[in-house]
Amino acid sequence: MFETERIMKKIYLIDGSAIIYRSFYALPDFKTSTGFATNAIYGFVSTLLKILKEKRPEYIAVFFDMAVPTFRHKTFDKYKEKRKPMPDELSGQISKIKEIINSFGIKYIEKEGYEGDDLIGSFVEKLKDENCEIFIIGSDKDILQLIDENVFVINPTNYQIIDKKWVIERYGFYPEKIVDFIGLKGDISDNIPGVPGIGEKTAILLLKKFNSVEEIYDNLEKIENEKLREKLKKYKEIAFLSKKLAKLNKEIFEKIDLEDIKIANPDLHKLIELFDFCEFKKLKEMLKEIFPDIEKIEKIENFIGFSTGEIAKYDEICQNIEKYKGILEDENVKKIGFNLKDKIVELRRYNIEFKNIDFDFSIASHLTGKVIYNKDIFKLKEEYEKLLDLFEMYSLFKDVEMPLIEVLAWMEMNGIKVDIDYLNQLGEKFNKEIEEIRNKIYSISGEVFNLNSPSQVGEILFEKLKLPVIKKTKLGYATDVSVLKELANLHPLPQYLLSYRELYKIKSTYIDGILNFINKKTGRIHPIFSQISTTSGRLTCSNPNLQNLPIKTQKGGLIRKAFCVDYNNFFYSFDYSQIELRVMAHFSEDPVLLEAFEKDKDIHNETAELILSSDSLFSPLNFGQLTKEEKRRIAKTINFGIIYGMSSYGLSKELDISVEDASLFINKYFEKFKKVKEYIENIVKKAESNGYVETLLKRRRYIPELKSNNKNEREFGKRVAINMPIQGTSAEIIKVAMNKIYQKFKEEKLKSKLVLQIHDELLFEVPIEEEIRVKNIVMNIMKNAVVLKVPIKVDVKKGKNFLEMEDIND
């Protein structure tokens, strides 16, 4: 007996689709600093790492549903009808999850016409007679039908192992009867109807007395409860249909070779790249516990190479500053290494000017999308240089990204001043308002409850106050902003909840968050800027993120007033005007766009005139009643929506109009801007052919989503293909400008400081005596940073704080 157990193989089969969906809806709205959603990835990877760490599986596979109708949809057209279409934020994560699975050396399996549960069922059927134990990681109820003596289910929520005994104790019958149970009770999540009026208790009682749905109907006369008997008679067809839908197809695979799902050697380089992309710091530590060899891969990051041929550990340098001071500050000695911007900032603490930064591997890896490992730091540089040349990115790397390292280090060291007293007073004011609103909510609802708990809020709104349920989530009632706004027309409580949430977020995220990051010595915030966190090339800001300060609401905007300047200084803001639309005009060469920008017309008003004229007959909307500003707002939404590949559905949500009207708007737009339509069609075709898109300066963004079998993923890929070259080129233009401005300031020994970059905007702190010079320098450089086929325009503002800024355009 002992010998048999010792050699018994353990097989782990993961229901990938179930875990991904559960993670997406159960976890907070995790996003990277670039805005890429990662909650589904995080949940799935957490589950996978726990299995790998605790179970050390030799055989493992992940199973996915396919986005095509299965035999169940053909049998019952309302199957899963109540499930929403996959959100863009989720579909965009699927390809990354599959990349991660492959990088672990794990196989994922999907088959057209079948759900992941069916594929698992077929695997179990073919393998259960082998000398093995099978563990299914999944949360769907129908998977319980597969349990037997050597088949178990692991609940991914609490990792409880569910066996045959558990099913019998929980339901009172054997696992194989789960299909009969669902046949009677139904399954809300999959929209399997079951017999109307039969719930869990009744279904269990029936199956304790009879062995199956068939046996129940063979013995209807033995059911004493007349109402129940009549229900069963009336809905016999539905009962059998529901059982059929619940039963897993175990005949998909004729034969299974266990070696096909034997875990292979992981691609540790790729895993590091993917975890870094997703910004999974905690999960990366867990990854290191499972694969200690990762430490060897990352070890080279601790070294700095000098063009003298010398190599030094960075830790050693910090411990022997005087020994290395000369070579670090020698302008004739080139330096290579990883994350050199951070090292410039750190070494300034030791009063070291880290000069002549020549090659940063972190940036080379980010641009090429490749993680190369070579113990020889100089050979590693050669390999990356060849790759950058091959991708035609060397100029982007050497002339734009490498010089930017010093600029970002300069910005971080400059920091931005904060009025601490003002922020504390604002916090106190908001605390009082929050308390007042909280008391009003308690008074209206008649009880005290947790305002930050969606479930408790839902109970008050929909069970106690009996307000109409707008929508539901897997966890219960939806109480998001859109729901509360709709309910605010019916009852005062939802509006108070909206006000509470706004103030609570401003107070906790911005006021408390900003105060925590103020340097006590300088009175400034010194955020971290990254050039390797986005695929588009945009910079990100963290600790804290000052690129995302609230501005849309009056109360949110008050946060900006806290950012101020030293005495006798002024803020100067230089903002590229509609740079992305200008880049679109450059790429598309659309004559209408080119002329509008050449003649310095307001592009949104121009668009409004072209597609929203009062005599338009293409839409039922009454344009005659719209003001000029309302028309401009619609046109602006369409202009930017086109750049971001927005669908008619997305536009309808933005403008709160029907999908039909939104579709008409887009069609009308393309009638007027024909070359824009042509550009969009061509860029998508090019991306599908090449597998990637490029910016003006040859930055690449690979788009594997375009090859996906999932329609939502493909649509996400198309939007990326349309937007990335435009957004990426815009980001490169401002980077070129930042580099040139920095060099000019150095040459002229100006005291003015660049303190913040917010995508298309640069914010400087300028002494009064340098105002005219700085304005002339920055305007000239920004307008001429890169030559486009349309003029580049820059808007300028001036003020003593970041909220109260006045236009000073010429």
Side-chain angles (χ1 to χ4, degrees):
M1 177 68 179
F2 175 79
E3 181 66 12
T4 304
E5 288 184 354
R6 188 178 67 81
I7 62 170
M8 186 174 276
K9 293 175 180 176
K10 295 183 186 293
I11 300 160
Y12 293 83
L13 308 177
I14 300 177
D15 186 350
S17 295
I19 292 171
I20 288 167
Y21 266 94
R22 181 181 64 84
S23 301
F24 180 77
Y25 287 105
L27 293 177
D29 187 19
F30 293 158
K31 286 184 179 175
T32 66
S33 53
T34 69
F36 181 79
T38 58
N39 53 349
I41 305 174
Y42 187 92
F44 178 85
V45 171
S46 298
T47 301
L48 184 57
L49 286 174
K50 189 169 179 68
I51 297 298
L52 292 175
K53 182 182 177 182
E54 296 183 0
K55 307 301 180 183
R56 299 285 172 177
E58 185 179 5
Y59 301 95
I60 185 169
V62 182
F63 298 82
F64 288 107
D65 300 340
M66 288 282 279
V68 291
T70 66
F71 71 90
R72 293 185 182 87
H73 294 92
K74 294 170 185 175
T75 304
F76 180 54
D77 59 2
K78 292 183 180 179
Y79 179 67
K80 291 191 176 179
E81 184 183 54
K82 291 181 182 177
R83 286 203 182 178
K84 301 175 191 172
M86 183 183 287
D88 288 345
E89 291 83 358
L90 176 56
S91 61
Q93 299 181 60
I94 304 294
S95 61
K96 276 281 179 280
I97 289 170
K98 290 177 178 177
E99 274 190 83
I100 290 169
I101 293 167
N102 280 333
S103 301
F104 272 111
I106 295 169
K107 188 171 183 178
Y108 70 81
I109 298 165
E110 54 189 359
K111 191 175 177 66
E112 195 166 310
Y114 298 98
E115 295 179 57
D117 289 355
D118 294 308
L119 302 177
I120 291 172
S122 190
F123 254 70
V124 169
E125 185 67 21
K126 294 293 182 287
L127 294 174
K128 68 179 184 180
D129 292 331
E130 302 285 333
N131 187 29
C132 62
E133 286 183 331
I134 301 170
F135 296 87
I136 304 163
I137 298 93
S139 54
D140 289 351
K141 191 171 285 157
D142 57 357
I143 211 81
L144 299 178
Q145 67 189 268
L146 300 173
I147 292 173
D148 71 5
E149 297 300 333
N150 290 322
V151 181
F152 311 90
V153 169
I154 297 177
N155 184 333
T157 304
N158 55 16
Y159 297 94
Q160 175 190 9
I161 295 178
I162 299 170
D163 58 10
K164 195 172 183 177
K165 182 183 175 186
W166 184 94
V167 175
I168 294 168
E169 288 177 356
R170 167 68 176 80
Y171 293 103
F173 51 72
Y174 288 101
E176 55 266 27
K177 286 191 183 182
I178 286 291
V179 290
D180 299 278
F181 177 70
I182 296 173
L184 294 169
K185 178 187 172 293
D187 187 338
I188 294 172
S189 65
D190 287 341
N191 204 36
I192 297 175
V195 176
I198 290 185
E200 182 174 310
K201 288 181 181 177
T202 305
I204 289 173
L205 287 171
L206 285 168
L207 290 171
K208 280 182 177 178
K209 189 171 183 179
F210 307 102
N211 285 318
S212 64
V213 168
E214 289 80 3
E215 193 171 314
I216 289 169
Y217 278 96
D218 286 342
N219 294 278
L220 277 179
E221 71 283 353
K222 294 181 181 178
I223 297 174
E224 296 175 3
N225 186 315
E226 186 180 345
K227 284 185 179 179
L228 177 58
R229 190 169 61 249
E230 289 306 312
K231 277 180 192 173
L232 287 165
K233 276 183 185 179
K234 184 177 179 180
Y235 297 109
K236 178 178 180 180
E237 189 177 330
I238 290 176
F240 280 94
L241 170 65
S242 297
K243 178 176 178 178
K244 183 179 180 181
L245 294 172
K247 190 171 184 180
L248 297 179
N249 186 337
K250 301 177 184 178
E251 307 301 324
I252 303 168
F253 302 107
E254 291 182 14
K255 185 182 177 185
I256 290 170
D257 186 349
L258 195 53
E259 295 305 302
D260 284 347
I261 62 167
K262 190 170 186 177
I263 193 167
N265 290 327
D267 184 343
L268 298 180
H269 305 95
K270 187 66 178 175
L271 283 173
I272 292 170
E273 178 192 339
L274 289 165
F275 275 52
D276 284 344
F277 172 82
C278 295
E279 300 175 9
F280 289 161
K281 291 181 181 178
K282 288 183 180 178
L283 294 186
K284 194 173 176 183
E285 291 305 311
M286 196 171 171
L287 187 69
K288 288 177 185 176
E289 292 176 26
I290 300 168
F291 304 110
D293 285 350
I294 282 179
E295 295 290 353
K296 296 176 186 175
I297 293 171
E298 293 187 298
K299 213 169 185 179
I300 197 170
E301 292 183 6
N302 295 325
F303 290 91
I304 292 177
F306 302 95
S307 55
T308 56
E310 188 179 349
I311 299 172
K313 279 187 179 179
Y314 181 65
D315 295 344
E316 244 178 63
I317 289 172
C318 293
Q319 290 164 14
N320 299 276
I321 286 296
E322 291 306 315
K323 177 183 174 182
Y324 289 98
K325 181 178 172 66
I327 196 169
L328 290 169
E329 295 189 334
D330 193 331
E331 292 185 3
N332 298 312
V333 177
K334 295 178 180 177
K335 288 88 177 177
I336 63 175
F338 292 80
N339 299 310
L340 295 179
K341 185 260 297 176
D342 296 342
K343 292 176 173 61
I344 291 174
V345 176
E346 286 169 15
L347 288 169
R348 276 297 298 273
R349 295 174 192 159
Y350 303 102
N351 294 317
I352 299 291
E353 295 283 345
F354 191 21
K355 296 178 180 176
N356 200 348
I357 306 299
D358 181 55
F359 201 98
D360 191 314
F361 296 108
S362 304
I363 295 172
S365 174
H366 177 69
L367 284 179
T368 59
K370 305 292 180 184
V371 179
I372 304 172
Y373 177 64
N374 193 315
K375 289 181 180 179
D376 187 322
I377 199 167
F378 299 108
K379 287 183 179 175
L380 182 62
K381 181 190 173 191
E382 289 175 11
E383 288 185 52
Y384 270 119
E385 283 177 330
K386 287 177 186 174
L387 203 55
L388 287 163
D389 272 332
L390 180 67
F391 291 169
E392 298 181 318
M393 286 185 189
Y394 195 78
S395 177
L396 171 64
F397 172 79
K398 201 68 178 172
D399 301 331
V400 180
E401 296 296 341
M402 285 304 299
L404 191 67
I405 291 174
E406 277 193 52
V407 182
L408 299 184
W410 178 52
M411 287 172 65
E412 289 184 17
M413 290 184 284
N414 290 338
I416 185 168
K417 189 176 180 181
V418 181
D419 186 335
I420 300 173
D421 290 339
Y422 167 80
L423 212 51
N424 280 323
Q425 288 167 13
L426 190 63
E428 289 174 13
K429 179 177 180 288
F430 282 178
N431 270 338
K432 288 178 183 176
E433 289 185 33
I434 288 168
E435 189 61 29
E436 286 173 8
I437 293 171
R438 187 186 283 121
N439 290 334
K440 283 180 182 176
I441 290 171
Y442 293 157
S443 174
I444 292 169
S445 62
E447 65 178 273
V448 174
F449 61 98
N450 184 354
L451 302 187
N452 298 318
S453 167
S455 62
Q456 290 187 34
V457 169
E459 285 174 16
I460 295 293
L461 292 174
F462 306 113
E463 293 179 14
K464 184 169 185 178
L465 299 179
K466 306 296 181 185
L467 292 175
V469 177
I470 307 298
K471 59 182 177 180
K472 280 192 170 187
T473 69
K474 281 195 172 183
L475 299 175
Y477 303 110
T479 60
D480 57 36
V481 172
S482 64
V483 169
L484 293 180
K485 281 185 176 178
E486 194 168 337
L487 293 173
N489 298 318
L490 306 173
H491 196 280
L493 186 62
Q495 185 56 56
Y496 281 120
L497 286 167
L498 285 168
S499 300
Y500 169 81
R501 285 186 185 177
E502 182 195 358
L503 283 172
Y504 185 84
K505 181 174 176 59
I506 293 170
K507 174 66 172 62
S508 58
T509 304
Y510 296 106
I511 296 178
D512 296 342
I514 288 169
L515 286 168
N516 288 334
F517 282 106
I518 297 172
N519 185 298
K520 290 180 181 177
K521 289 182 180 179
T522 65
R524 291 173 171 259
I525 284 178
H526 299 268
I528 296 169
F529 295 95
S530 172
Q531 63 199 110
I532 58 172
S533 298
T534 71
T535 53
S536 68
R538 271 189 164 191
L539 296 179
T540 62
C541 177
S542 59
N543 290 355
N545 180 5
L546 298 182
Q547 292 179 329
N548 195 33
L549 294 173
I551 193 65
K552 289 183 179 179
T553 64
Q554 184 184 2
K555 290 185 185 296
L558 292 173
I559 298 297
R560 292 191 170 216
K561 192 173 179 179
F563 295 94
C564 57
V565 292
D566 283 329
Y567 180 73
N568 254 2
N569 291 355
F570 286 94
F571 273 145
Y572 267 80
S573 161
F574 298 85
D575 192 357
Y576 275 124
S577 173
Q578 300 168 347
I579 190 67
E580 291 186 346
L581 288 169
R582 293 172 195 270
V583 172
M584 171 62 92
H586 175 86
F587 280 138
S588 68
E589 298 182 333
D590 184 88
V592 182
L593 280 180
L594 292 175
E595 183 188 10
F597 285 125
E598 194 62 48
K599 294 183 177 179
D600 196 22
K601 295 178 181 177
D602 183 311
I603 191 62
H604 303 314
N605 282 336
E606 285 296 299
T607 302
E609 284 299 313
L610 287 167
I611 70 170
L612 302 175
S613 55
S614 57
D615 60 347
S616 289
L617 298 175
F618 72 94
S619 166
L621 289 178
N622 187 346
F623 294 116
Q625 294 179 1
L626 294 178
T627 65
K628 187 176 180 180
E629 273 306 307
E630 286 171 334
K631 289 180 183 179
R632 188 180 186 277
R633 181 184 69 83
I634 292 172
K636 184 178 180 179
T637 304
I638 296 170
N639 277 330
F640 287 111
I642 296 297
I643 285 175
Y644 286 90
M646 188 184 287
S647 65
S648 53
Y649 175 78
L651 185 62
S652 73
K653 291 294 179 187
E654 283 288 319
L655 296 177
D656 194 23
I657 58 175
S658 70
V659 175
E660 291 76 18
D661 278 347
S663 182
L664 287 167
F665 279 177
I666 292 173
N667 290 339
K668 191 73 172 179
Y669 181 96
F670 285 137
E671 282 178 25
K672 299 296 182 181
F673 300 94
K674 291 183 173 64
K675 294 283 280 184
V676 172
K677 184 181 182 184
E678 189 179 307
Y679 164 77
I680 288 171
E681 289 170 348
N682 288 340
I683 200 71
V684 171
K685 284 178 187 174
K686 192 175 179 181
E688 288 171 341
S689 173
N690 296 339
Y692 62 87
V693 288
E694 289 181 327
T695 61
L696 187 65
L697 300 185
K698 300 295 184 183
R699 182 185 306 273
R700 286 188 184 185
R701 163 64 150 95
Y702 287 90
I703 313 178
E705 294 89 350
L706 290 172
K707 303 285 185 185
S708 172
N709 292 317
N710 184 304
K711 183 186 175 185
N712 289 325
E713 283 187 54
R714 289 197 304 275
E715 290 302 313
F716 171 79
K718 286 178 184 177
R719 289 194 294 276
V720 170
I722 295 165
N723 176 246
M724 188 272 172
I726 295 166
Q727 190 180 91
T729 299
S730 302
E732 287 164 357
I733 291 170
I734 202 163
K735 284 180 178 179
V736 171
M738 290 166 71
N739 288 337
K740 291 181 177 180
I741 291 165
Y742 174 66
Q743 289 303 323
K744 191 68 176 173
F745 277 25
K746 273 177 63 177
E747 285 171 21
E748 300 206 6
K749 296 183 171 59
L750 295 177
K751 296 175 185 175
S752 297
K753 302 171 181 177
L754 176 58
V755 295
L756 195 57
Q757 190 259 33
I758 307 179
H759 306 313
D760 303 330
E761 177 185 7
L762 298 178
L763 185 68
F764 294 84
E765 183 173 347
V766 182
I768 195 166
E769 67 272 14
E770 293 181 357
E771 284 187 78
I772 296 172
R773 187 72 191 120
V774 166
K775 184 184 175 188
N776 290 337
I777 288 171
V778 176
M779 285 287 284
N780 182 55
I781 288 174
M782 287 182 72
K783 283 182 177 180
N784 298 289
V786 173
V787 177
L788 297 180
K789 291 165 186 169
V790 293
I792 293 177
K793 186 179 178 183
V794 179
D795 293 327
V796 189
K797 290 183 178 180
K798 172 186 174 180
K800 295 295 282 186
N801 64 66
F802 196 26
L803 177 66
E804 297 163 337
M805 305 279 284
E806 295 180 3
D807 292 329
I808 56 166
N809 290 328
D810 294 332

